[in-house]
Amino acid sequence: MSKYNSDITAQNDVDLWLSKTFVDVYNIETLYRFDRNLIDINKDVSPVYLDRVEPMMTAVLSTFLEPYEKIAGKTFIKQYTPKQFVLLGSPSYNDNGSITLGTADNGRRVVLYEINSLNFSSPAAIKRPIRTIHHEFTHILNQNIVIPPSFEQVSKSDYTADWTGAANTAAVAKSLGFISQYARSSFGEDFAEMVAHLLVEGQVYFDNYCATTNAAAAADLRAKERLVYSYFKDFYNIDFKLLQNEVQSVLKTKYNATDPVDVTTTFPMMLANNKIASITYNPSAAHYATYGQSADFRAVYENFRVAMAASSWVVRNVQFLFASSTKMTFRVEFTQGTGTTVYYGDYDFNMAINNTNGLTTWTKSIPEGAGTTYSNGAIASILVNFERFFLPYLTNRQFVASYLPTGITSTDPLYRTFGGFSVNGAAGNYFYGPIVLK
């Protein structure tokens, strides 16, 4: 018997495993014996090696079926997942020079190509067919419930049938707000590519991608991201973030995948590139109960809050506003007595940040800015408390800018959504808050 499977007819251990794992549990059939009727008769493709069948279908199980089953439930799996997976050894070559890595036929069958050359020990290699599976399954979901028209409108003028042409490089596609070159071929492919990349490449990859393109493209990508989330929630009652987290967890633990390293999206680099609008510290926010906060900074805040209350000012939060890569405005949000009118008091600082190691210093900017918020900050009973508590804290030490808190790891959906500063040499003295991007 050859390493190909065209001459395999008798049931073997692989068949028994497939039957037990997929047919009995999910009613899904795996077709790996070469059958010309299952593919385009005009394409020359080769059969899959027998020893590649179980590793490939294990990946299908752990990175596709089980995550959807865990997040969406057994009923969803039974109703929507394809009932056949067809495995082929080589890619399917197209007339335009591209290759087909997978297809979804009428919501019933997914065909996967190019499995013979797949290196199952390479995280980058294994992501490719998994991304194809999630892409093709998205088409199946879209066949049941169509993509909302609002998605097409985001990039309507930039779709092109000639997506493989020389004018559509990866850089061009990215600059126009597409997650891949292929995404430009149609809004349906765009949607499927967005889903597949968010699930398989992960949130850090996507955040990096958005942060390293122009503002208009990043805005379009974020708009598409929101529409993907709402599609899954509104039509299938699936929390896309939880699904993404599940897929990422499997890829990291089972296939040793890691988040991409891109220095342009470290917190210091984001600040240095003027990408961060603000962070807010409000000690009563839920994330501090979950991830903790620094007792040192909380004490500074509490001392300030109590002193302000003695003058009938009610502090709601403090904010760090980054007008540029060299300017930080410290803002106090407050009300007066039992009133509900919200006021702001602002104080400007010069900021120096090392975009490599995050070392940051603030020096008070003189003279103060002009306008109502600066006038509020100059009210004697407010200014004296700012100068007593926050001014010495912010100017008498060096800080380290970073994504905080450390309890939010790379597998957490909230990863890189919070940022802050720790005192250099005293990591336990820090503050952080949710990041608002520009």
Side-chain angles (χ1 to χ4, degrees):
M1 183 175 68
S2 73
K3 62 183 178 181
Y4 297 108
N5 60 61
S6 56
D7 57 348
I8 301 173
T9 57
Q11 289 283 300
N12 53 53
D13 290 343
V14 172
D15 294 310
L16 295 175
W17 178 80
L18 290 171
S19 179
K20 179 180 178 180
T21 307
F22 293 94
V23 178
D24 295 350
V25 179
Y26 298 104
N27 194 29
I28 292 175
E29 182 182 23
T30 304
L31 304 175
Y32 67 88
R33 292 175 171 85
F34 192 74
D35 186 343
R36 173 61 68 179
N37 295 319
L38 297 175
I39 53 176
D40 186 343
I41 61 173
N42 297 312
K43 300 292 181 69
D44 291 325
V45 295
S46 63
V48 64
Y49 298 159
L50 181 61
D51 63 1
R52 298 305 177 98
V53 175
E54 187 168 338
M56 184 66 255
M57 293 308 294
T58 296
V60 170
L61 177 68
S62 62
T63 64
F64 169 61
L65 290 172
E66 290 179 340
Y68 265 106
E69 182 177 13
K70 180 175 180 178
I71 304 303
K74 292 182 180 295
T75 300
F76 176 90
I77 289 289
K78 292 178 180 179
Q79 183 173 357
Y80 294 108
T81 54
K83 296 307 174 187
Q84 285 184 338
F85 278 86
V86 178
L87 308 183
L88 293 164
S90 65
S92 177
Y93 293 92
N94 303 312
D95 294 338
N96 61 6
S98 66
I99 62 174
T100 296
L101 297 176
T103 59
D105 300 332
N106 300 318
R108 172 176 171 78
R109 176 187 300 152
V110 168
V111 181
L112 298 176
Y113 298 86
E114 203 183 27
I115 296 174
N116 286 348
S117 61
L118 184 61
N119 179 2
F120 286 94
S121 63
S122 166
I126 197 63
K127 282 184 176 181
R128 193 175 187 185
I130 300 309
R131 198 171 62 230
T132 299
I133 292 167
H134 282 284
H135 177 110
E136 298 303 331
F137 182 60
T138 302
H139 285 319
I140 291 175
L141 295 179
N142 296 158
Q143 289 166 12
N144 284 273
I145 301 177
V146 298
I147 302 167
S150 54
F151 185 91
E152 182 181 7
Q153 298 305 312
V154 177
S155 297
K156 188 173 183 178
S157 62
D158 292 318
Y159 292 115
T160 174
D162 187 27
W163 68 272
T164 60
N168 185 39
T169 64
V172 167
K174 182 176 182 178
S175 72
L176 293 174
F178 294 92
I179 195 64
S180 70
Q181 291 170 272
Y182 186 43
R184 285 196 69 191
S185 62
S186 71
F187 77 93
E189 300 302 339
D190 191 8
F191 191 90
E193 282 289 272
M194 281 292 297
V195 172
H197 278 78
L198 282 165
L199 290 177
V200 179
E201 300 302 334
Q203 192 64 44
V204 173
Y205 173 92
F206 184 75
D207 291 343
N208 287 347
Y209 194 85
C210 291
T212 53
T213 189
N214 61 76
D220 287 348
L221 286 161
R222 291 296 184 184
K224 293 175 186 178
E225 178 190 26
R226 289 191 295 272
L227 289 167
V228 165
Y229 287 6
S230 61
Y231 175 87
F232 275 76
K233 184 62 177 178
D234 294 345
F235 299 124
Y236 291 103
N237 196 30
I238 293 174
D239 187 322
F240 191 84
K241 270 291 185 184
L242 294 180
L243 181 63
Q244 180 190 52
N245 194 35
E246 195 65 28
V247 174
Q248 286 295 296
S249 178
V250 173
L251 287 169
K252 288 177 172 64
T253 57
K254 189 176 181 66
Y255 293 101
N256 299 315
T258 58
D259 287 317
V261 176
D262 188 339
V263 296
T264 63
T265 59
T266 64
F267 188 63
M269 187 64 79
M270 292 284 279
L271 285 167
N273 287 338
N274 197 23
K275 300 288 188 180
I276 306 294
S278 68
I279 62 173
T280 298
Y281 175 80
N282 178 356
S284 63
H287 45 264
Y288 296 110
T290 303
Y291 298 104
Q293 58 181 303
S294 164
D296 296 286
F297 186 79
R298 177 65 185 269
V300 174
Y301 179 92
E302 282 299 308
N303 289 337
F304 175 76
R305 184 190 64 78
V306 171
M308 287 280 283
S311 299
S312 298
W313 303 113
V314 180
V315 179
R316 291 162 57 95
N317 60 65
V318 295
Q319 302 164 28
F320 296 79
L321 311 179
F322 303 98
S324 71
S325 60
T326 59
K327 178 183 177 182
M328 185 275 287
T329 298
F330 180 82
R331 169 170 287 180
V332 180
E333 182 176 313
F334 60 94
T335 58
Q336 186 174 27
T338 59
T340 58
T341 301
V342 176
Y343 302 97
Y344 302 100
D346 286 353
Y347 308 93
D348 286 342
F349 290 78
N350 299 315
M351 180 171 72
I353 183 167
N354 185 313
N355 57 26
T356 301
N357 56 26
L359 290 177
T360 305
T361 56
W362 290 305
T363 55
K364 189 68 188 70
S365 177
I366 302 295
E368 199 65 86
T372 302
T373 58
Y374 294 100
S375 298
N376 291 340
I379 295 172
S381 57
I382 298 175
L383 179 60
V384 68
N385 292 316
F386 163 75
E387 292 181 337
R388 179 182 177 189
F389 298 107
F390 278 116
L391 182 60
Y393 180 85
L394 295 173
T395 56
N396 287 349
R397 50 181 53 83
Q398 189 177 51
F399 293 90
V400 180
S402 59
Y403 288 113
L404 293 171
T406 56
I408 299 179
T409 64
S410 61
T411 60
D412 194 306
L414 294 178
Y415 186 54
R416 294 192 178 186
T417 62
F418 290 86
F421 299 83
S422 58
V423 174
N424 188 28
N429 189 348
Y430 64 92
F431 60 89
Y432 70 93
I435 294 171
V436 176
L437 298 173
K438 291 184 178 178

